[in-house]
Each structure stands twice: as C-alpha cells, then as structure tokens.
C-alpha cells in the first residue's frame, strides 16, 4: 500500500469512527488557514467553524464541490500543525447561500488526517482554556 492510499484509508476510517462526533461537535472558531489545489500555491484565509470531521472556510472565490484542497493550519492551544487533504463538500456562494449565518465560502471534510491530529482537534475544541477565552 503506497503512502497516499494509507492516508486515504486512514481518513475514511477516522470519519467513520467519529461520525457522530462530526455531527454533534461543530464549533465557531477564527483560525488562519492556508489552502489551495497545489501545495506550492496556497492562499491564506480563515475558518469560521471546525469539527473533527471538517471545517468551513470563508472564501469569496469558491471551487466546485468534490475539489481536493491541500490545507494547513495550526491549533493555538498546543501549536499542532494540521497538514492534510480536504474535499469541498458544499458551497455557500455569494449569490446562492446555503447557510445565511455563514459568510460566502466552502464547507470541507477531511480526507487524509491521522488519528493523532483528530485527537488534537478534539482536545482544542473541548479545552477549558478555549471555553474560558470565549466567555
């Protein structure tokens, strides 16, 4: 099994194991993120929410559903850097809005993410320090 196949299998396994967690645990965040189709040509943007299954990126320029993007962001609680592939799952276009509470952008789901990084995201989302800062 080559490394990409292993990462894809790991991503699918993670999503299946934490499927209920994905649905129930979406948190508002404001994290800087770099993303792009090519790892060498990434642009900077911001996340509007995050879960262990994916996130929403504020982006005036959206790409089609199904597009794979290289993403990179750092969790502020322990400086864990997440680098992985994510798939555009849905769009919140500037004209056709799926969620009026969110800005224009894209909902993405993790494709290649290991369990260690899923756990780091979970720790960040449920950390007491994070809740203390948002109150």
């Amino acid at each position: 099994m080559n490394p990409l196949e292993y990462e894809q299998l790991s991503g699918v396994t993670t999503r299946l194991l934490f499927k209920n967690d994905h649905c129930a645990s979406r948190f508002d965040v404001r994290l800087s993120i770099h993303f792009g189709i090519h790892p060498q040509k990434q642009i900077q943007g911001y996340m509007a929410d995050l879960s262990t299954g994916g996130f929403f990126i504020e982006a005036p320029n959206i790409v089609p559903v199904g597009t794979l993007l290289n993403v990179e962001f750092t969790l502020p609680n322990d400086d864990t850097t997440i680098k992985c592939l994510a798939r555009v799952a849905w769009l919140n276009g500037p004209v056709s809005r799926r969620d009026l509470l969110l800005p224009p952008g894209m909902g993405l789901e993790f494709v290649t993410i290991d369990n260690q990084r899923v756990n780091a995201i979970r720790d960040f989302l449920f950390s007491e320090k994070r809740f203390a800062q948002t109150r």
Side-chain angles (χ1 to χ4, degrees):
M1 181 178 292
N2 72 43
L4 182 58
E5 288 173 335
Y6 175 78
E7 284 186 332
Q8 289 172 331
L9 178 61
S10 175
V12 169
T13 303
T14 299
R15 283 196 311 277
L16 290 173
L17 286 173
F18 300 107
K19 185 174 182 180
N20 291 337
D21 198 28
H22 167 73
C23 297
S25 304
R26 189 162 292 278
F27 292 86
D28 292 338
V29 297
R30 180 86 174 152
L31 293 178
S32 177
I33 184 169
H34 290 86
F35 64 97
I37 295 172
H38 304 289
Q40 302 84 1
K41 293 184 179 181
Q42 294 187 343
I43 60 172
Q44 195 243 340
Y46 289 94
M47 278 187 198
D49 70 28
L50 175 64
S51 76
T52 56
F55 53 94
F56 183 84
I57 297 178
E58 298 177 27
N61 300 321
I62 56 178
V63 297
V65 169
T67 302
L68 291 177
L69 297 176
N70 293 279
V71 299
E72 181 177 343
F73 60 96
T74 301
L75 299 173
N77 62 328
D78 66 359
D79 293 328
T80 298
T81 298
I82 311 288
K83 283 185 181 182
C84 66
L85 284 176
R87 183 185 74 82
V88 176
W90 62 279
L91 303 174
N92 209 40
V95 177
S96 175
R97 302 290 285 274
R98 176 174 164 175
D99 187 334
L100 295 176
L101 298 176
L102 289 172
M106 303 173 284
L108 286 89
E109 65 181 356
F110 294 119
V111 174
T112 58
I113 189 168
D114 60 45
N115 287 335
Q116 179 181 2
R117 287 181 176 64
V118 170
N119 289 334
I121 291 170
R122 182 180 297 101
D123 290 346
F124 165 69
L125 294 175
F126 291 102
S127 71
E128 289 183 33
K129 185 177 178 182
R130 181 173 138 35
F131 284 120
Q133 290 173 349
T134 59
R135 289 185 187 146

